């Protein structure tokens, strides 16, 4: 079979771009039109009346900070392969986010970022992206387990046992990886063979990002339910993110998944289900839909590398 011509490749690329962007915009419109938001319309109006202009700007700013920290985090790691500006990092992060939104647990994001690099660099990029996302999972698990203990879902002894098992697992995997000479070894070596300073910055930016989106969620909740304990709210949010992140789902369905999980934890705190639905919707719009649409713009501009 003859190799596809350049014109065929260009046609396939344009078709794929149009398909991705159409799905991104079409699904967003569909989701907004087909959810019965009329049930919470009056509740939403009352809620927004409690928000001052300054607070609205600050809550929106937290979404910007959330995504900006992810951009800086990726710049820190991607720059170990080639020089990476903030603008270029933003292009890769947003485009990959949009591509990943159509795959379970955002797996397409790995391929999305790799497409911006030469063929010989792609293994390391995928490995670095695993490191980039892995630090967020680390914080979700760590703070989520602490939240489970705070909420009485696990005992302190069980929590210590889980954390000890996790540390032991990491130690065993490192030992096995050193002895296992294969592509798997090369893959992990590509991701972790960066300087300690790069790893430290990755953990620092990851912690700031986790604090940003959890604080945004808590602030939204506190406005609607000021009598609730802030510590209890943080615990419920951390538990929600841990359980939601462990469920196989598409980014586009993040709203439905997090709503169901949030209802499970916040109902124990006596928070109105309508408030939970409204805030989960706002978080979804600000932190998923807006980046998704920005990413669609970058997908349209994307020019694949030939090698």
């Amino acid at each position: 079979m003859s190799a596809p011509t350049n014109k065929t490749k260009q046609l396939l690329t344009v078709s794929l771009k149009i398909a991705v962007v159409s799905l991104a915009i079409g699904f967003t419109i569909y989701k907004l039109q087909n959810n019965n938001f009329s049930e919470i319309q009056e509740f939403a109006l009352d809620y927004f009346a409690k928000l001052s202009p300054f607070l609205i700007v600050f809550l929106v700013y937290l979404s910007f900070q959330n995504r900006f920290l992810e951009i800086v985090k990726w710049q820190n790691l991607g720059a170990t392969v080639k020089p990476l500006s903030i603008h270029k990092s933003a292009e890769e992060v947003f485009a990959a986010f949009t591509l990943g939104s159509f795959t379970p647990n955002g797996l397409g994001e790995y391929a999305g970022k790799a497409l911006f690099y030469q063929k010989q660099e792609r293994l390391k990029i995928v490995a670095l992206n695993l490191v980039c996302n892995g630090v967020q999972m680390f914080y979700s698990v760590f703070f989520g387990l602490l939240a489970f203990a705070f909420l009485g879902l696990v005992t302190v002894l069980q929590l210590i046992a889980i954390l000890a098992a996790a540390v032991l697992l990491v130690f065993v995997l490192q030992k096995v990886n050193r002895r296992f000479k294969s592509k798997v070894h090369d893959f992990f070596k590509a991701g972790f063979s960066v300087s300690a300073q790069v790893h430290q910055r990755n953990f620092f930016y990851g912690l700031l990002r986790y604090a940003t989106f959890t604080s945004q969620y808590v602030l939204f909740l506190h406005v609607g339910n000021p009598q609730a304990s802030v510590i209890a709210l943080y615990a419920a949010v951390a538990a929600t993110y841990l359980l939601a992140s462990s469920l196989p789902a598409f980014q586009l369905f993040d709203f439905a998944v997090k709503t169901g999980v949030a209802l499970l934890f916040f109902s124990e705190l006596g928070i109105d289900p309508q408030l939970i639905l409204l805030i989960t919707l706002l978080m979804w719009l600000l932190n998923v839909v807006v980046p998704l649409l920005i990413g669609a713009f970058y997908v349209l501009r994307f020019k694949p590398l030939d090698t």
Side-chain angles (χ1 to χ4, degrees):
M1 181 181 291
S2 60
T5 64
N6 287 334
K7 286 188 177 181
T8 302
K9 289 181 180 179
Q10 290 174 0
L11 180 60
L12 289 173
T13 301
V14 171
S15 300
L16 181 60
K17 288 180 181 181
I18 294 173
V20 170
V21 174
S22 299
L23 281 171
I25 297 174
F27 186 85
T28 300
I29 294 173
Y30 169 81
K31 194 71 176 175
L32 292 173
Q33 287 181 339
N34 286 271
N35 280 283
N36 192 13
F37 297 133
S38 60
E39 293 182 5
I40 63 169
Q41 184 175 0
E42 185 176 345
F43 181 87
L45 292 174
D46 292 338
Y47 177 84
F48 285 120
K50 300 175 184 177
L51 296 175
S52 66
F54 172 79
L55 190 55
I56 292 173
V57 171
F58 183 67
L59 286 165
V60 173
Y61 165 77
L62 287 177
S63 285
F64 165 80
Q65 179 172 292
N66 174 32
R67 200 52 54 184
F68 180 74
L69 286 169
E70 180 65 12
I71 290 167
V72 173
K73 189 151 67 82
W74 177 243
Q75 181 195 32
N76 170 57
L77 291 164
T80 62
V81 176
K82 68 179 183 181
L84 192 63
S85 66
I86 285 289
H87 179 266
K88 184 64 177 174
S89 178
E91 179 182 357
E92 293 177 12
V93 166
F94 281 117
F97 180 82
T98 298
L99 292 170
S101 296
F102 303 100
T103 56
N105 289 64
L107 291 177
E109 178 190 346
Y110 292 84
K113 282 180 182 172
L115 290 174
F116 285 92
Y117 293 82
Q118 301 292 339
K119 186 176 181 180
Q120 65 271 19
E121 299 169 334
R122 289 172 184 169
L123 176 67
K124 184 165 186 177
I125 289 300
V126 172
L128 288 173
N129 199 38
L130 181 63
V131 173
C132 186
N133 292 337
V135 72
Q136 295 302 150
M137 179 56 71
F138 167 79
Y139 287 123
S140 290
V141 172
F142 179 76
F143 289 111
L145 288 175
L146 290 179
F148 271 50
F150 179 85
L151 296 171
L153 299 175
V154 296
T155 65
V156 175
L157 186 60
Q158 288 172 329
L159 176 61
I160 294 173
I162 292 170
L163 292 175
V167 172
L168 179 61
L169 178 62
V170 171
F171 178 77
V172 170
L173 288 175
Q174 284 182 334
K175 289 292 185 182
V176 171
N177 183 47
R178 287 171 186 167
R179 295 176 178 272
F180 193 49
K181 302 297 182 181
S182 69
K183 289 185 178 180
V184 175
H185 173 81
D186 294 339
F187 174 77
F188 283 103
K189 183 179 178 181
F192 290 96
S193 61
V194 295
S195 69
Q197 290 80 7
V198 171
H199 281 302
Q200 289 167 5
R201 287 194 294 268
N202 187 43
F203 270 89
F204 176 67
Y205 294 142
L207 179 60
L208 286 181
R209 186 169 179 240
Y210 185 85
T212 296
F213 60 72
T214 53
S215 296
Q216 183 186 37
Y217 207 140
V218 168
L219 188 54
F220 268 126
L221 286 165
H222 189 65
V223 170
N225 201 339
Q227 69 273 18
S229 164
V230 173
I231 296 177
L233 290 178
Y234 266 108
V237 168
T240 296
Y241 274 107
L242 173 57
L243 186 55
S245 63
S246 64
L247 298 174
F250 293 79
Q251 283 280 5
L252 289 173
F253 297 100
D254 184 70
F255 166 66
V257 173
K258 282 206 172 72
T259 298
V261 175
L263 286 170
L264 179 67
F265 292 111
F266 289 113
S267 59
E268 297 297 319
L269 302 179
I271 296 178
D272 192 328
Q274 288 187 315
L275 177 63
I276 298 170
L277 175 62
L278 174 62
I279 291 171
T280 308
L281 171 63
L282 292 173
M283 291 289 292
W284 179 69
L285 288 171
L286 290 171
N287 296 305
V288 175
V289 173
V290 172
L292 181 74
L293 297 178
I294 294 174
F297 167 75
Y298 283 117
V299 167
L300 285 175
R301 292 184 52 189
F302 173 70
K303 294 181 180 179
L305 298 176
D306 293 330
T307 57

